[in-house]
Amino acid sequence: MSTKIVIAGGFGAGKTTLVGSVSEIPPVTTEAVMTEASRAHDDTSATPQKVTTTVAMDFGRLTLDRELIMYMFGTPGQARFWFMWDDLVRGAVGAVIVVDSRRLADCFDAVDYFEKNQNIPYVIALNKFDGQLEYTPDEIREALEISPDVPIIDFDARDRRSSGNVLKRLLEYTLSRPKSAELVG
């Protein structure tokens, strides 16, 4: 059996890094070099070393056991590429919203998207840049206005085990939801 999950979030939050850190195959990425034109649209002040950006999607695979293979689809983070989200999300059993707490507002649109698509459970994954978070999980829950049952996990997208824990928590959360809740929407 296979399952599809989506890795979403704002520009430069760590989506491509998460997919790459856990994928058992070389991840397929659509990274393009950022041009001066894109810099006018994408705030790189918190990530000055960022020189590429996802323009379509990332793709990775993780075999959990003989019975279950997880396919990961990473969304582009910039608003100008959001038209692809509906296609990337179709058929997904859950989503991870990767958050850079230094730029919390960048994830609001992703949260809104999954709140409106209530049949897709999601978790919030706080990527710890430089090993720290700017806000506590409770402060982030309040700022994002998400329900108390939505899991918030802090992690390091570069670390395979840490990223794997996020995916594990998403699957646990998805499986724990009542079947009727999955059909709402």
Side-chain angles (χ1 to χ4, degrees):
M1 180 168 99
S2 64
T3 188
K4 175 182 181 181
I5 65 158
V6 174
I7 312 296
F11 169 75
K15 300 175 299 293
T16 299
T17 304
L18 185 157
V19 171
S21 73
V22 296
S23 182
E24 65 194 19
I25 62 170
V28 175
T29 63
T30 57
E31 291 286 294
V33 174
M34 293 178 63
T35 64
E36 285 304 312
S38 69
R39 290 190 188 280
H41 298 283
D42 303 322
D43 179 9
T44 59
S45 59
T47 56
Q49 71 287 357
K50 187 168 179 58
V51 295
T52 63
T53 189
T54 302
V55 296
M57 69 169 198
D58 299 314
F59 173 78
R61 182 184 76 202
L62 181 60
T63 302
L64 301 174
D65 63 33
R66 288 182 173 187
E67 304 287 322
L68 182 59
I69 299 172
M70 178 185 297
Y71 294 102
M72 299 168 283
F73 290 81
T75 66
Q78 305 91 323
R80 65 186 177 278
F81 298 122
W82 288 344
F83 65 91
M84 291 185 265
W85 279 38
D86 287 339
D87 289 331
L88 290 173
V89 169
R90 190 172 294 116
V93 298
V96 173
I97 300 176
V98 180
V99 174
D100 177 351
S101 68
R102 302 171 300 179
R103 298 174 293 133
L104 199 53
D106 290 355
C107 75
F108 289 168
D109 291 317
V111 171
D112 288 345
Y113 181 90
F114 289 101
E115 282 289 314
K116 290 176 185 166
N117 291 292
Q118 294 178 2
N119 58 330
I120 302 173
Y122 68 90
V123 299
I124 301 294
L126 306 175
N127 194 3
K128 296 194 308 192
F129 287 86
D130 300 322
Q132 54 191 328
L133 297 172
E134 295 293 316
Y135 303 98
T136 68
D138 287 337
E139 291 170 325
I140 289 173
R141 183 178 304 283
E142 184 177 334
L144 298 180
E145 297 180 347
I146 58 173
S147 76
D149 68 309
V150 173
I152 297 179
I153 308 112
D154 62 88
F155 82 118
D156 182 338
R158 300 167 298 178
D159 182 80
R160 179 178 177 86
R161 175 167 283 178
S162 186
S163 293
N165 285 337
V166 169
L167 299 177
K168 178 181 175 186
R169 185 63 186 107
L170 172 64
L171 290 177
E172 290 169 350
Y173 178 60
T174 300
L175 292 171
S176 73
R177 290 170 39 112
K179 294 293 182 203
S180 60
E182 292 175 19
L183 300 175
V184 174

